[in-house]
Amino acid sequence: MGADFSTTVVSVIEVKDGSQPVKCACTPLNKAFFELIPAAYHTSIAIGDMEYSFDSSGVTSSPVWLSHSLMSPDIKSPAVVLHLGFTNVHGGMLADILNPHFRPGTYDLLLKNCNAFSNAALFFLLGTQLDDKYTALERAGAVIDKRSGLVQMLSMGGYIPNPKATDFQLDKVLALLQAGNFPG
């Protein structure tokens, strides 16, 4: 059974002069295994026609949805694009605010990935977060690997936790954003 995208909730936010649309793109990287194992997702955010995402290079910007098409030659566009609202925040400001939390070399497949960045970006821009289904597999994987090393073992060395990401806590980043504690 594949992922069910039919229950997407779209928030309606008042449009103001000079505002730009905020969208979130979600691309499954594997198929869910019935209800037992959820799909893994790549997510990113767009403000207007620019996409913002996080990978081993840090926060990146590109034309919309380029990061999704680079995931695989089979992916031409995201599976789901959620139109979530509007913002007066420009992409440069988003990157400036989130860069200190998502530096180059700190990416980790389970602990600090594109979905953590998308969550922080959506929280900063609109006060919302990704639906839990987009982060379910990595959250479960992080707990299992921390307790038993099972993800590292099953990946046969494909997954090695990034020591620069072990202290990352999305909740702390969101609390700083909510309190208005921005760098600079």
Side-chain angles (χ1 to χ4, degrees), residues 73-113:
D74 299 333
I75 298 173
K76 302 299 180 213
S77 63
V80 174
V81 176
L82 306 171
H83 300 260
L84 298 173
F86 294 84
T87 187
N88 287 319
V89 175
H90 59 85
M93 178 184 229
L94 174 70
D96 288 346
I97 297 297
L98 293 182
N99 271 334
H101 305 289
F102 295 92
R103 296 210 177 274
T106 64
Y107 180 91
D108 183 278
L109 183 66
L110 299 178
L111 304 173
K112 186 178 182 184
N113 58 28

Side-chain angles (χ1 to χ4, degrees), residues 3-10 80 82 131 133-134:
D4 176 17
F5 300 115
S6 62
T7 58
T8 300
V9 176
V10 177
V80 174
L82 306 171
D131 185 299
K133 72 180 174 184
Y134 297 116

Side-chain angles (χ1 to χ4, degrees), residues 105-152:
T106 64
Y107 180 91
D108 183 278
L109 183 66
L110 299 178
L111 304 173
K112 186 178 182 184
N113 58 28
C114 59
N115 300 324
F117 171 80
S118 293
N119 259 327
L122 287 173
F123 188 80
F124 176 68
L125 295 169
L126 303 173
T128 190
Q129 294 183 61
L130 290 172
D131 185 299
D132 284 344
K133 72 180 174 184
Y134 297 116
T135 61
L137 184 61
E138 70 214 42
R139 286 183 287 115
V143 169
I144 290 167
D145 198 68
K146 183 176 182 177
R147 292 184 180 164
S148 66
L150 187 61
V151 175
Q152 294 172 68

Side-chain angles (χ1 to χ4, degrees), residues 43-55:
T43 63
S44 64
I45 302 303
I47 300 174
D49 60 356
M50 289 299 294
E51 173 189 31
Y52 298 88
S53 59
F54 174 66
D55 60 22

Side-chain angles (χ1 to χ4, degrees), residues 24-27 42-45 51 65-72 75-80:
C24 178
C26 310
T27 298
H42 169 63
T43 63
S44 64
I45 302 303
E51 173 189 31
W65 317 141
L66 179 63
S67 72
H68 294 261
S69 62
L70 293 175
M71 300 300 294
S72 164
I75 298 173
K76 302 299 180 213
S77 63
V80 174

